[in-house]
Amino acid sequence: MIKKNTLTPLLLAGIFVFMLGLSFAAVPLYDLFCRVTGFGGTTQISKEAPNIVLDKIVNVRLDTNVNSQLDWDFAVNEKTLDVKPGKVYKIKFNVENLGDQPSSAVASYNVSPSSFGQYFNKLGCFCFEKQTLKPGEKASYDLVFYLDPELVNDPKTKNIEDVTMSYTFFSSDYYKVEKNES
């Protein structure tokens, strides 16, 4: 028989291990939840475009940003587009390293309003991939996407006419060593 003095530490250790396991599982489970539901403006990844194009027009505004730790210029060729659900669009983004050192960054995105994220389908994107530029180097990246025609059947999105797709480059040099000037 297990004594009460032994049971309490074993129970607490078990709870600790269980909670630790949940903390490691939380990120992938939340990511899966966002991708399935479009929660938080998470867009969808698609292999092919739909066979139908609707006459409805949605104004898509493309917003570009750079984190303050990064000396890059980031712009899109077309800031606004009139998009028809079901039609495939290709947008070109331009990036330049304005600094005097090579630097790396990763672009993340968000869709607003967030309820629209599940209908924004990417066929090709540079987001979440590490990009490295030498000093003064320029690069162009493409976004290929379409809006799922099903958006007109969703009461939360059927009347939306304006959507913002925001991209931000963040430095991927998280552990950059500062040089001491002595």
Side-chain angles (χ1 to χ4, degrees), residues 2-166:
I2 299 177
K3 293 182 181 178
K4 197 173 189 179
N5 292 344
T6 309
L7 184 60
T8 302
L10 285 176
L11 185 60
L12 289 174
I15 291 171
F16 173 76
V17 169
F18 177 73
M19 296 301 285
L20 184 65
L22 277 180
S23 68
F24 281 106
V27 172
L29 289 175
Y30 181 74
D31 183 55
L32 176 65
F33 171 77
C34 289
R35 291 190 188 287
V36 169
T37 64
F39 181 76
T42 302
T43 63
Q44 305 302 304
I45 298 172
S46 183
K47 301 269 187 239
E48 59 185 52
N51 295 328
I52 185 171
V53 176
L54 303 180
D55 285 333
K56 176 181 173 69
I57 298 290
V58 177
N59 180 276
V60 176
R61 185 173 82 82
L62 296 158
D63 179 43
T64 56
N65 302 285
V66 177
N67 179 271
S68 62
Q69 298 174 338
L70 200 58
D71 197 11
W72 285 18
D73 182 44
F74 180 37
V76 62
N77 284 359
E78 298 178 62
K79 290 189 183 258
T80 60
L81 294 167
D82 287 335
V83 174
K84 290 184 176 184
K87 184 175 178 183
V88 176
Y89 294 86
K90 183 178 181 180
I91 307 300
K92 186 170 288 300
F93 291 84
N94 300 303
V95 183
E96 180 180 5
N97 181 354
L98 302 174
D100 58 359
Q101 297 288 321
S103 56
S104 299
V106 175
S108 67
Y109 59 86
N110 194 8
V111 176
S112 182
S114 61
S115 60
F116 209 83
Q118 66 183 344
Y119 299 107
F120 205 103
N121 289 269
K122 298 179 300 176
L123 294 167
C125 185
F126 57 93
C127 44
F128 301 116
E129 296 175 3
K130 183 177 176 181
Q131 310 295 339
T132 301
L133 296 176
K134 297 174 187 167
E137 183 178 6
K138 296 178 182 181
S140 293
Y141 304 115
D142 294 328
L143 165 67
V144 181
F145 74 96
Y146 68 90
L147 299 180
D148 189 334
E150 284 297 314
L151 68 90
V152 298
N153 297 325
D154 186 339
K156 293 180 287 187
T157 58
K158 70 180 181 180
N159 295 321
I160 294 176
E161 296 178 0
D162 295 298
V163 178
T164 299
M165 183 72 168
S166 183

